Structures are given as C-alpha cells and as structure tokens.
Amino acid sequence: MDRCVVLVDAGYLLGAAASLLAGEPARSRITVDHSVLIQGMRERAEAETGRALLRIYWFDGAPDRVPQPEHRRLRVMPRVTVRLGALTRSDGRWAQKGVDAAMHAELTELARNRACSDIVLVTGDGDLLPGLMSAKEHGVAVHLWAVQAADGDYNQSEDLVAEADERRVLDRAWITRAVRAREPSGTCPPAAPTRPDIAAILSAPLPESSRPAGAEAAGKNGTAPAERGAAAPPETGTEPAAPGRGVPTPKDLAGLGRPPAAQPVAQAPPGATLRWSSDKGWVDRGGTPADPPEVAALPMLAQLTTAEQRWADREEDITTVSGDPFEVGQVFARRWIARLGGHGHLGHLSAQYPRIPHRIDGELLRYAARFGLLAHKDDQIDERDRYAIRAGFWREVDARTGTERAPADQ
C-alpha cells in the first residue's frame, strides 16, 4: 500500500528534546503543544516519503498503564493511536517497560501485512534493529528520524542509523515549533497567570467554621488577619508561606514537635485536626458539622446518576475530555448541577467558597483519578492540580448562580 506510518518512541523524542532545550532529559522541564507536534510530524512524513499518512503510533509509558492527560489528548486526535507500556520505579528513577517490545511488534506486523510502503521511526533504541531489518525484508522503506543531540553527537544506536534507508534530523528550529523549555520554578510555584481562578481559591478567606483558633485573638492584639489576595513575601532562602490562611505545609507539620523557637506560623489548637481534602485550616474534632444543613444535604453525583448516564459519562470521558485538571472540575460540576435539578441550594454552597463539602470534594478527586491526575511522579499528589480541579468546579457553580468573584492579586 502506498501509505506511510509513523512510529514514535515518546520517551526518546521528548527526553531528547528536553536535553536539547533545557539541558537535561527530564520531560518535566518542557511544555509540549501536542496538536502542533502531531500536525508537524504528519506534514513532514508525507513530504519526505511522498506518501499519504495512514497513522501515527505514539508509544509511551504510564504508571499502571493508566493514560495520563497528554495521552488522553493524543488518542482522540485524528490518525493517532496511543500504545502504553508500564512505567515502573527502580532505584529512585522511572523506567519504561514494554514500550520497545510493543514498537517491535507493531513494526513487524505492519510490514508483514503490507499495510504501508514507508515507515518513519522516531527512536534511538538499538533494540528495534531486528524489527527494522524485518520490515526491510518485507519491502518497506524505513526512515529514521533523530532529535538534534544537545552535545552535537548521535543520540541513536549506530547500528540503527547504519541499517535505516533514510535518516533525517529534527533540528532545534523544528522542535521549538511545538516544544518549549519550562522556566525554572521553586517547589511551591504561584498560580499560573492564565488561571486566576486557582489564585482566587488560594487567597480566598476561610469560612468562619474553619478559621484557625486564635485568629480573632490575634486581631484583638493588633495583628490584622490576611485579606483576600494578600500574601506575605517569602524571606530569602525560605519557602513561600501563607500565614494569613492558616494552612500549614507538610514542612510546617513536620516541625510541630520542634522547640518553641522553631515552631511554624500555623499552630494546631488542642483537639483539632487538619482535613487536607477539602478544608483549609484546622477544624475541631467531633464538633458541629462545618456544613450548614442545606449544604450537608446535597446528594453526591453517584446518587443522581442512572446506569445509562454512567455509560454516557464514561463515553464522554474517553472521547472528549482531555484530562486538563481545570476541565475535569468543570465537567464534574456540570453533570452534578444538571442532575441536581433546582439550583436553590447552590446559593448556600456558593457561600462556602472556596470549601467544597467533604463528600462531594472526595468524589470530585476520585473522578479526577480516572485521568491519572492523582498518580503523579514521586508517588505524590500534585496539590496544584487539586486547586485547578476545584477552580473548574467553582467556575461552573458561579456560572449557574451568577456569582462574580474579584480576581486575586497575581
């Protein structure tokens, strides 16, 4: 068949691009516009092979083979098929398992079935050499693409380079059409300027029910509580702190047992606990519920969803929801509000901003876990993604209630 197929080893392509643009192969150091990247690969493959594109296969690893947001965006693009191997951790480093084997199987199967006349390989792994040789024996022309090496040398197996029919280099100018180096940031970056909703949640005042004990006393002693959007500038050499919000960081919690001179700003009142999932600040154990009755009575999405709706929701998640944290929060809220019927209680809920009722907040985060948002590198939950998910939820609630919130200071 006079068609071309592109097989992409995402680990090689994006790792080499990160080395070229950011000086190290960590993919977290770059941002990728996948739609631009895929379109560029399609146009280049068709131009260099003189054949129409049949399909682009994107091979990558993922924890437990759960598609990450980028994989969800890619697999709904035209002419793109995503194949996932496992991403496992060994000696403190992540490693792909099964990706090379999947590429080898696809390469040989395409050639054996004469599904195409030309195959473009974007990889550097010499393990694919037998598959490349097999494809050539079946009459397929193999084009090998390399990413420009950061040190000016090859970043591909020499045997692979020698065996390929054609070799081309994706240079810096081509790569930077879709890939950018990410600006270095601290361990607790501020909210992105394009997401003022997230900044608003971070800076919103606490509901009275979850204010840290002693806040009123501090006000009486002349220390004014932090107002919306206010944030104390971090001291040199220290991590940013939010003393007015009363939300201790894990570092603060670790310091609770230190001598008084080293105690963090946010202190736990006696008999209190911190609910990380939905409450901001310390709340009394066993006390009266933080939610007013109207809010506490709100049903969860699962209680409002029929079996048919559940199937339709899953179909929408697979085909149209990209997995962007903000979008995930919006989709969840849109479904919940639509099935809730009357919007009478949304006004009471809006008054609790930025706190989402505990049961609904937990359901929201479990829904987000379907998209791999809570299965992050280093086995830790990305707190910034949580803020983005909740910001999307509040955007939909505010749209229904007509609430306009003042933008937070950036």
Side-chain angles (χ1 to χ4, degrees), residues 65-93:
R65 290 186 167 86
V66 176
Q68 301 298 291
E70 65 180 279
H71 303 138
R72 301 185 70 90
R73 287 191 289 271
L74 283 162
R75 67 184 184 179
V76 297
M77 293 180 184
R79 303 296 180 111
V80 177
T81 296
V82 175
R83 296 279 189 261
L84 294 180
L87 194 61
T88 60
R89 189 171 181 126
S90 178
D91 298 327
R93 300 182 63 182

PDB file of all heavy atoms in Angstrom, residues 65-93:
ATOM      1  N   ARG A  65      -0.120   1.677  33.474  1.00  0.00           N
ATOM      2  CA  ARG A  65      -0.713   1.840  32.136  1.00  0.00           C
ATOM      3  C   ARG A  65      -1.987   2.686  32.155  1.00  0.00           C
ATOM      4  O   ARG A  65      -2.859   2.537  31.288  1.00  0.00           O
ATOM      5  CB  ARG A  65      -1.004   0.474  31.504  1.00  0.00           C
ATOM      6  CG  ARG A  65       0.268  -0.301  31.113  1.00  0.00           C
ATOM      7  CD  ARG A  65      -0.078  -1.571  30.362  1.00  0.00           C
ATOM      8  NE  ARG A  65       1.100  -2.156  29.724  1.00  0.00           N
ATOM      9  CZ  ARG A  65       1.946  -2.982  30.340  1.00  0.00           C
ATOM     10  NH1 ARG A  65       1.719  -3.314  31.603  1.00  0.00           N
ATOM     11  NH2 ARG A  65       2.991  -3.482  29.697  1.00  0.00           N
ATOM     12  N   VAL A  66      -2.113   3.557  33.125  1.00  0.00           N
ATOM     13  CA  VAL A  66      -3.254   4.474  33.193  1.00  0.00           C
ATOM     14  C   VAL A  66      -2.949   5.687  32.322  1.00  0.00           C
ATOM     15  O   VAL A  66      -1.944   6.371  32.549  1.00  0.00           O
ATOM     16  CB  VAL A  66      -3.528   4.924  34.638  1.00  0.00           C
ATOM     17  CG1 VAL A  66      -4.656   5.961  34.676  1.00  0.00           C
ATOM     18  CG2 VAL A  66      -3.885   3.731  35.510  1.00  0.00           C
ATOM     19  N   PRO A  67      -3.766   5.980  31.303  1.00  0.00           N
ATOM     20  CA  PRO A  67      -3.479   7.131  30.427  1.00  0.00           C
ATOM     21  C   PRO A  67      -3.394   8.433  31.218  1.00  0.00           C
ATOM     22  O   PRO A  67      -4.272   8.739  32.017  1.00  0.00           O
ATOM     23  CB  PRO A  67      -4.671   7.145  29.462  1.00  0.00           C
ATOM     24  CG  PRO A  67      -5.230   5.768  29.510  1.00  0.00           C
ATOM     25  CD  PRO A  67      -5.006   5.283  30.903  1.00  0.00           C
ATOM     26  N   GLN A  68      -2.335   9.180  30.986  1.00  0.00           N
ATOM     27  CA  GLN A  68      -2.167  10.484  31.603  1.00  0.00           C
ATOM     28  C   GLN A  68      -2.867  11.541  30.736  1.00  0.00           C
ATOM     29  O   GLN A  68      -3.295  11.246  29.613  1.00  0.00           O
ATOM     30  CB  GLN A  68      -0.670  10.798  31.739  1.00  0.00           C
ATOM     31  CG  GLN A  68       0.092   9.768  32.565  1.00  0.00           C
ATOM     32  CD  GLN A  68      -0.397   9.687  34.003  1.00  0.00           C
ATOM     33  OE1 GLN A  68      -0.209  10.609  34.786  1.00  0.00           O
ATOM     34  NE2 GLN A  68      -1.040   8.580  34.354  1.00  0.00           N
ATOM     35  N   PRO A  69      -3.017  12.776  31.236  1.00  0.00           N
ATOM     36  CA  PRO A  69      -3.716  13.795  30.452  1.00  0.00           C
ATOM     37  C   PRO A  69      -3.190  13.961  29.024  1.00  0.00           C
ATOM     38  O   PRO A  69      -3.974  14.118  28.085  1.00  0.00           O
ATOM     39  CB  PRO A  69      -3.512  15.063  31.289  1.00  0.00           C
ATOM     40  CG  PRO A  69      -3.442  14.567  32.693  1.00  0.00           C
ATOM     41  CD  PRO A  69      -2.719  13.253  32.607  1.00  0.00           C
ATOM     42  N   GLU A  70      -1.875  13.909  28.837  1.00  0.00           N
ATOM     43  CA  GLU A  70      -1.339  14.068  27.487  1.00  0.00           C
ATOM     44  C   GLU A  70      -1.746  12.909  26.588  1.00  0.00           C
ATOM     45  O   GLU A  70      -1.997  13.085  25.386  1.00  0.00           O
ATOM     46  CB  GLU A  70       0.180  14.202  27.519  1.00  0.00           C
ATOM     47  CG  GLU A  70       0.918  12.981  28.001  1.00  0.00           C
ATOM     48  CD  GLU A  70       2.426  13.173  28.015  1.00  0.00           C
ATOM     49  OE1 GLU A  70       3.033  13.040  26.936  1.00  0.00           O
ATOM     50  OE2 GLU A  70       2.984  13.461  29.088  1.00  0.00           O
ATOM     51  N   HIS A  71      -1.830  11.693  27.159  1.00  0.00           N
ATOM     52  CA  HIS A  71      -2.247  10.538  26.362  1.00  0.00           C
ATOM     53  C   HIS A  71      -3.714  10.651  25.965  1.00  0.00           C
ATOM     54  O   HIS A  71      -4.097  10.260  24.851  1.00  0.00           O
ATOM     55  CB  HIS A  71      -2.025   9.248  27.157  1.00  0.00           C
ATOM     56  CG  HIS A  71      -0.618   9.056  27.606  1.00  0.00           C
ATOM     57  ND1 HIS A  71      -0.270   8.589  28.863  1.00  0.00           N
ATOM     58  CD2 HIS A  71       0.564   9.318  26.972  1.00  0.00           C
ATOM     59  CE1 HIS A  71       1.043   8.535  28.967  1.00  0.00           C
ATOM     60  NE2 HIS A  71       1.570   8.976  27.834  1.00  0.00           N
ATOM     61  N   ARG A  72      -4.530  11.181  26.851  1.00  0.00           N
ATOM     62  CA  ARG A  72      -5.947  11.340  26.545  1.00  0.00           C
ATOM     63  C   ARG A  72      -6.148  12.377  25.439  1.00  0.00           C
ATOM     64  O   ARG A  72      -7.048  12.237  24.607  1.00  0.00           O
ATOM     65  CB  ARG A  72      -6.713  11.735  27.806  1.00  0.00           C
ATOM     66  CG  ARG A  72      -6.595  10.729  28.945  1.00  0.00           C
ATOM     67  CD  ARG A  72      -7.475  11.122  30.105  1.00  0.00           C
ATOM     68  NE  ARG A  72      -8.871  10.942  29.748  1.00  0.00           N
ATOM     69  CZ  ARG A  72      -9.566   9.834  29.937  1.00  0.00           C
ATOM     70  NH1 ARG A  72      -8.987   8.775  30.467  1.00  0.00           N
ATOM     71  NH2 ARG A  72     -10.832   9.751  29.584  1.00  0.00           N
ATOM     72  N   ARG A  73      -5.329  13.420  25.453  1.00  0.00           N
ATOM     73  CA  ARG A  73      -5.421  14.422  24.386  1.00  0.00           C
ATOM     74  C   ARG A  73      -4.991  13.825  23.048  1.00  0.00           C
ATOM     75  O   ARG A  73      -5.591  14.081  22.011  1.00  0.00           O
ATOM     76  CB  ARG A  73      -4.560  15.637  24.730  1.00  0.00           C
ATOM     77  CG  ARG A  73      -5.126  16.523  25.821  1.00  0.00           C
ATOM     78  CD  ARG A  73      -4.371  17.826  25.922  1.00  0.00           C
ATOM     79  NE  ARG A  73      -3.044  17.655  26.477  1.00  0.00           N
ATOM     80  CZ  ARG A  73      -2.756  17.707  27.766  1.00  0.00           C
ATOM     81  NH1 ARG A  73      -3.720  17.907  28.649  1.00  0.00           N
ATOM     82  NH2 ARG A  73      -1.521  17.553  28.204  1.00  0.00           N
ATOM     83  N   LEU A  74      -3.928  13.018  23.111  1.00  0.00           N
ATOM     84  CA  LEU A  74      -3.383  12.465  21.871  1.00  0.00           C
ATOM     85  C   LEU A  74      -4.306  11.443  21.236  1.00  0.00           C
ATOM     86  O   LEU A  74      -4.501  11.429  20.014  1.00  0.00           O
ATOM     87  CB  LEU A  74      -2.019  11.817  22.154  1.00  0.00           C
ATOM     88  CG  LEU A  74      -0.841  12.769  22.326  1.00  0.00           C
ATOM     89  CD1 LEU A  74       0.318  12.078  23.024  1.00  0.00           C
ATOM     90  CD2 LEU A  74      -0.385  13.295  20.964  1.00  0.00           C
ATOM     91  N   ARG A  75      -4.900  10.569  22.033  1.00  0.00           N
ATOM     92  CA  ARG A  75      -5.608   9.443  21.445  1.00  0.00           C
ATOM     93  C   ARG A  75      -6.947   9.821  20.807  1.00  0.00           C
ATOM     94  O   ARG A  75      -7.545   8.984  20.129  1.00  0.00           O
ATOM     95  CB  ARG A  75      -5.809   8.344  22.497  1.00  0.00           C
ATOM     96  CG  ARG A  75      -6.733   8.684  23.628  1.00  0.00           C
ATOM     97  CD  ARG A  75      -6.746   7.546  24.629  1.00  0.00           C
ATOM     98  NE  ARG A  75      -7.699   7.772  25.705  1.00  0.00           N
ATOM     99  CZ  ARG A  75      -7.908   6.904  26.689  1.00  0.00           C
ATOM    100  NH1 ARG A  75      -7.237   5.773  26.726  1.00  0.00           N
ATOM    101  NH2 ARG A  75      -8.776   7.171  27.629  1.00  0.00           N
ATOM    102  N   VAL A  76      -7.413  11.041  21.047  1.00  0.00           N
ATOM    103  CA  VAL A  76      -8.632  11.470  20.360  1.00  0.00           C
ATOM    104  C   VAL A  76      -8.324  12.324  19.129  1.00  0.00           C
ATOM    105  O   VAL A  76      -9.242  12.786  18.451  1.00  0.00           O
ATOM    106  CB  VAL A  76      -9.568  12.250  21.320  1.00  0.00           C
ATOM    107  CG1 VAL A  76     -10.034  11.360  22.450  1.00  0.00           C
ATOM    108  CG2 VAL A  76      -8.881  13.496  21.872  1.00  0.00           C
ATOM    109  N   MET A  77      -7.034  12.504  18.828  1.00  0.00           N
ATOM    110  CA  MET A  77      -6.660  13.242  17.626  1.00  0.00           C
ATOM    111  C   MET A  77      -6.797  12.350  16.393  1.00  0.00           C
ATOM    112  O   MET A  77      -6.581  11.132  16.473  1.00  0.00           O
ATOM    113  CB  MET A  77      -5.212  13.749  17.728  1.00  0.00           C
ATOM    114  CG  MET A  77      -5.001  14.808  18.790  1.00  0.00           C
ATOM    115  SD  MET A  77      -3.264  15.359  18.834  1.00  0.00           S
ATOM    116  CE  MET A  77      -3.324  16.482  20.235  1.00  0.00           C
ATOM    117  N   PRO A  78      -7.142  12.929  15.245  1.00  0.00           N
ATOM    118  CA  PRO A  78      -7.275  12.127  14.023  1.00  0.00           C
ATOM    119  C   PRO A  78      -5.958  11.453  13.656  1.00  0.00           C
ATOM    120  O   PRO A  78      -4.884  12.043  13.762  1.00  0.00           O
ATOM    121  CB  PRO A  78      -7.682  13.155  12.957  1.00  0.00           C
ATOM    122  CG  PRO A  78      -8.244  14.313  13.721  1.00  0.00           C
ATOM    123  CD  PRO A  78      -7.499  14.347  15.016  1.00  0.00           C
ATOM    124  N   ARG A  79      -6.050  10.208  13.244  1.00  0.00           N
ATOM    125  CA  ARG A  79      -4.913   9.425  12.750  1.00  0.00           C
ATOM    126  C   ARG A  79      -3.842   9.177  13.808  1.00  0.00           C
ATOM    127  O   ARG A  79      -2.674   8.936  13.462  1.00  0.00           O
ATOM    128  CB  ARG A  79      -4.278  10.080  11.509  1.00  0.00           C
ATOM    129  CG  ARG A  79      -5.208  10.304  10.331  1.00  0.00           C
ATOM    130  CD  ARG A  79      -5.712   8.987   9.764  1.00  0.00           C
ATOM    131  NE  ARG A  79      -6.602   9.188   8.634  1.00  0.00           N
ATOM    132  CZ  ARG A  79      -6.296   8.873   7.379  1.00  0.00           C
ATOM    133  NH1 ARG A  79      -5.116   8.351   7.113  1.00  0.00           N
ATOM    134  NH2 ARG A  79      -7.156   9.075   6.419  1.00  0.00           N
ATOM    135  N   VAL A  80      -4.198   9.222  15.082  1.00  0.00           N
ATOM    136  CA  VAL A  80      -3.235   8.967  16.156  1.00  0.00           C
ATOM    137  C   VAL A  80      -3.719   7.790  16.993  1.00  0.00           C
ATOM    138  O   VAL A  80      -4.879   7.752  17.405  1.00  0.00           O
ATOM    139  CB  VAL A  80      -3.041  10.194  17.064  1.00  0.00           C
ATOM    140  CG1 VAL A  80      -2.086   9.862  18.217  1.00  0.00           C
ATOM    141  CG2 VAL A  80      -2.507  11.380  16.264  1.00  0.00           C
ATOM    142  N   THR A  81      -2.832   6.831  17.225  1.00  0.00           N
ATOM    143  CA  THR A  81      -3.114   5.694  18.091  1.00  0.00           C
ATOM    144  C   THR A  81      -2.064   5.666  19.194  1.00  0.00           C
ATOM    145  O   THR A  81      -0.861   5.734  18.910  1.00  0.00           O
ATOM    146  CB  THR A  81      -3.076   4.362  17.304  1.00  0.00           C
ATOM    147  OG1 THR A  81      -4.120   4.369  16.337  1.00  0.00           O
ATOM    148  CG2 THR A  81      -3.257   3.182  18.237  1.00  0.00           C
ATOM    149  N   VAL A  82      -2.515   5.587  20.443  1.00  0.00           N
ATOM    150  CA  VAL A  82      -1.615   5.582  21.591  1.00  0.00           C
ATOM    151  C   VAL A  82      -1.463   4.160  22.102  1.00  0.00           C
ATOM    152  O   VAL A  82      -2.450   3.449  22.319  1.00  0.00           O
ATOM    153  CB  VAL A  82      -2.148   6.497  22.717  1.00  0.00           C
ATOM    154  CG1 VAL A  82      -1.265   6.388  23.956  1.00  0.00           C
ATOM    155  CG2 VAL A  82      -2.218   7.942  22.232  1.00  0.00           C
ATOM    156  N   ARG A  83      -0.224   3.730  22.287  1.00  0.00           N
ATOM    157  CA  ARG A  83       0.092   2.429  22.867  1.00  0.00           C
ATOM    158  C   ARG A  83       0.899   2.670  24.141  1.00  0.00           C
ATOM    159  O   ARG A  83       1.951   3.323  24.095  1.00  0.00           O
ATOM    160  CB  ARG A  83       0.905   1.583  21.893  1.00  0.00           C
ATOM    161  CG  ARG A  83       0.158   1.231  20.602  1.00  0.00           C
ATOM    162  CD  ARG A  83      -0.769   0.051  20.838  1.00  0.00           C
ATOM    163  NE  ARG A  83      -1.337  -0.429  19.582  1.00  0.00           N
ATOM    164  CZ  ARG A  83      -2.543  -0.125  19.149  1.00  0.00           C
ATOM    165  NH1 ARG A  83      -3.318   0.678  19.874  1.00  0.00           N
ATOM    166  NH2 ARG A  83      -2.994  -0.608  18.004  1.00  0.00           N
ATOM    167  N   LEU A  84       0.423   2.150  25.258  1.00  0.00           N
ATOM    168  CA  LEU A  84       1.059   2.419  26.544  1.00  0.00           C
ATOM    169  C   LEU A  84       1.738   1.179  27.111  1.00  0.00           C
ATOM    170  O   LEU A  84       1.143   0.091  27.139  1.00  0.00           O
ATOM    171  CB  LEU A  84       0.030   2.935  27.549  1.00  0.00           C
ATOM    172  CG  LEU A  84      -0.594   4.300  27.265  1.00  0.00           C
ATOM    173  CD1 LEU A  84      -1.592   4.662  28.347  1.00  0.00           C
ATOM    174  CD2 LEU A  84       0.480   5.373  27.135  1.00  0.00           C
ATOM    175  N   GLY A  85       2.967   1.377  27.550  1.00  0.00           N
ATOM    176  CA  GLY A  85       3.650   0.378  28.338  1.00  0.00           C
ATOM    177  C   GLY A  85       3.611   0.797  29.798  1.00  0.00           C
ATOM    178  O   GLY A  85       3.034   1.826  30.154  1.00  0.00           O
ATOM    179  N   ALA A  86       4.213   0.016  30.636  1.00  0.00           N
ATOM    180  CA  ALA A  86       4.216   0.324  32.066  1.00  0.00           C
ATOM    181  C   ALA A  86       5.339   1.305  32.385  1.00  0.00           C
ATOM    182  O   ALA A  86       6.370   1.352  31.707  1.00  0.00           O
ATOM    183  CB  ALA A  86       4.386  -0.944  32.884  1.00  0.00           C
ATOM    184  N   LEU A  87       5.115   2.094  33.409  1.00  0.00           N
ATOM    185  CA  LEU A  87       6.142   2.999  33.917  1.00  0.00           C
ATOM    186  C   LEU A  87       6.413   2.575  35.351  1.00  0.00           C
ATOM    187  O   LEU A  87       5.546   2.701  36.221  1.00  0.00           O
ATOM    188  CB  LEU A  87       5.659   4.445  33.858  1.00  0.00           C
ATOM    189  CG  LEU A  87       6.705   5.548  34.044  1.00  0.00           C
ATOM    190  CD1 LEU A  87       7.765   5.472  32.955  1.00  0.00           C
ATOM    191  CD2 LEU A  87       6.055   6.925  34.042  1.00  0.00           C
ATOM    192  N   THR A  88       7.580   2.026  35.591  1.00  0.00           N
ATOM    193  CA  THR A  88       7.909   1.488  36.909  1.00  0.00           C
ATOM    194  C   THR A  88       9.058   2.269  37.526  1.00  0.00           C
ATOM    195  O   THR A  88       9.856   2.890  36.824  1.00  0.00           O
ATOM    196  CB  THR A  88       8.298   0.003  36.817  1.00  0.00           C
ATOM    197  OG1 THR A  88       9.449  -0.131  35.966  1.00  0.00           O
ATOM    198  CG2 THR A  88       7.153  -0.814  36.246  1.00  0.00           C
ATOM    199  N   ARG A  89       9.125   2.190  38.861  1.00  0.00           N
ATOM    200  CA  ARG A  89      10.168   2.919  39.574  1.00  0.00           C
ATOM    201  C   ARG A  89      11.205   1.943  40.098  1.00  0.00           C
ATOM    202  O   ARG A  89      10.862   0.948  40.735  1.00  0.00           O
ATOM    203  CB  ARG A  89       9.549   3.703  40.725  1.00  0.00           C
ATOM    204  CG  ARG A  89      10.513   4.660  41.388  1.00  0.00           C
ATOM    205  CD  ARG A  89       9.793   5.559  42.373  1.00  0.00           C
ATOM    206  NE  ARG A  89      10.732   6.487  42.996  1.00  0.00           N
ATOM    207  CZ  ARG A  89      10.589   7.781  43.018  1.00  0.00           C
ATOM    208  NH1 ARG A  89       9.543   8.317  42.434  1.00  0.00           N
ATOM    209  NH2 ARG A  89      11.455   8.556  43.615  1.00  0.00           N
ATOM    210  N   SER A  90      12.467   2.239  39.822  1.00  0.00           N
ATOM    211  CA  SER A  90      13.565   1.389  40.258  1.00  0.00           C
ATOM    212  C   SER A  90      14.742   2.260  40.651  1.00  0.00           C
ATOM    213  O   SER A  90      15.172   3.120  39.878  1.00  0.00           O
ATOM    214  CB  SER A  90      13.963   0.421  39.137  1.00  0.00           C
ATOM    215  OG  SER A  90      15.061  -0.376  39.516  1.00  0.00           O
ATOM    216  N   ASP A  91      15.245   2.038  41.864  1.00  0.00           N
ATOM    217  CA  ASP A  91      16.388   2.820  42.379  1.00  0.00           C
ATOM    218  C   ASP A  91      16.129   4.318  42.296  1.00  0.00           C
ATOM    219  O   ASP A  91      17.019   5.108  41.950  1.00  0.00           O
ATOM    220  CB  ASP A  91      17.670   2.477  41.607  1.00  0.00           C
ATOM    221  CG  ASP A  91      18.069   1.021  41.762  1.00  0.00           C
ATOM    222  OD1 ASP A  91      17.805   0.463  42.850  1.00  0.00           O
ATOM    223  OD2 ASP A  91      18.639   0.445  40.819  1.00  0.00           O
ATOM    224  N   GLY A  92      14.895   4.704  42.590  1.00  0.00           N
ATOM    225  CA  GLY A  92      14.555   6.122  42.631  1.00  0.00           C
ATOM    226  C   GLY A  92      14.328   6.759  41.275  1.00  0.00           C
ATOM    227  O   GLY A  92      14.134   7.963  41.186  1.00  0.00           O
ATOM    228  N   ARG A  93      14.327   5.948  40.200  1.00  0.00           N
ATOM    229  CA  ARG A  93      14.140   6.501  38.861  1.00  0.00           C
ATOM    230  C   ARG A  93      13.007   5.762  38.152  1.00  0.00           C
ATOM    231  O   ARG A  93      12.781   4.572  38.371  1.00  0.00           O
ATOM    232  CB  ARG A  93      15.430   6.380  38.031  1.00  0.00           C
ATOM    233  CG  ARG A  93      16.615   7.103  38.650  1.00  0.00           C
ATOM    234  CD  ARG A  93      17.838   6.992  37.768  1.00  0.00           C
ATOM    235  NE  ARG A  93      17.632   7.632  36.476  1.00  0.00           N
ATOM    236  CZ  ARG A  93      18.534   7.647  35.504  1.00  0.00           C
ATOM    237  NH1 ARG A  93      19.699   7.038  35.675  1.00  0.00           N
ATOM    238  NH2 ARG A  93      18.280   8.261  34.360  1.00  0.00           N
TER     239      ARG A  93
END
